[in-house]
Amino acid sequence: MKKILFGLAAMASLTACGGNICDDTADAFESLIDKVEECGLPTTGFQEPTDEDIESCKESLDDCSDSDKDKLDAFVTCMNDVKGCNDKTQTEQLAFAERLSKCNAKLDGVSAACGGE
């Protein structure tokens, strides 16, 4: 499960490009850290995006198509809307990881130029 969370964190901090999507992604990532802690999962290794990361993200706007931006926006919206955990049981933690995976799926098809794979 940690692997999923770290992968999502990396996607949240590195793939968003363009305009306010970068700021929104940084905000969503900060909220994600709170939700991870709420679920009783470790946050070791998570690094919040720095101002430099956000500025670099904004500079990459030209590399992202409108379709890319739509996918990134859907990802950020999903991350903001994802429910945390009601308790710290393994069942809740797994359900949380599944909800995050559904958000991650919103990034499918983001172009390599925009930071996709």
Side-chain angles (χ1 to χ4, degrees):
M1 181 175 348
K2 288 180 192 176
K3 203 175 209 180
I4 292 171
L5 293 175
F6 286 122
L8 289 170
M11 293 295 279
S13 64
L14 299 176
T15 64
C17 54
N20 289 330
I21 293 172
C22 298
D23 293 322
D24 292 346
T25 301
D27 292 342
F29 185 71
E30 288 177 25
S31 176
L32 173 64
I33 290 174
D34 292 340
K35 292 173 187 177
V36 168
E37 289 174 342
E38 175 184 286
C39 291
L41 297 168
T43 57
T44 306
F46 283 85
Q47 294 181 343
E48 293 183 25
T50 64
D51 290 341
E52 290 173 358
D53 293 332
I54 294 168
E55 286 307 311
S56 175
C57 172
K58 289 177 180 178
E59 290 172 9
S60 67
L61 173 62
D62 292 339
D63 296 331
C64 300
S65 69
D66 288 342
S67 175
D68 290 334
K69 292 175 197 172
D70 289 344
K71 290 172 185 172
L72 292 166
D73 188 51
F75 169 76
V76 171
T77 299
C78 184
M79 294 298 286
N80 282 326
D81 292 344
V82 75
K83 179 179 146 300
C85 297
N86 292 326
D87 55 48
K88 297 178 181 181
T89 63
Q90 185 175 16
T91 301
E92 276 291 312
Q93 292 172 347
L94 291 172
F96 176 67
E98 184 176 322
R99 291 189 291 273
L100 291 177
S101 291
K102 288 179 182 177
C103 291
N104 195 41
K106 307 249 183 234
L107 294 172
D108 288 347
V110 171
S111 70
C114 187
E117 294 183 30

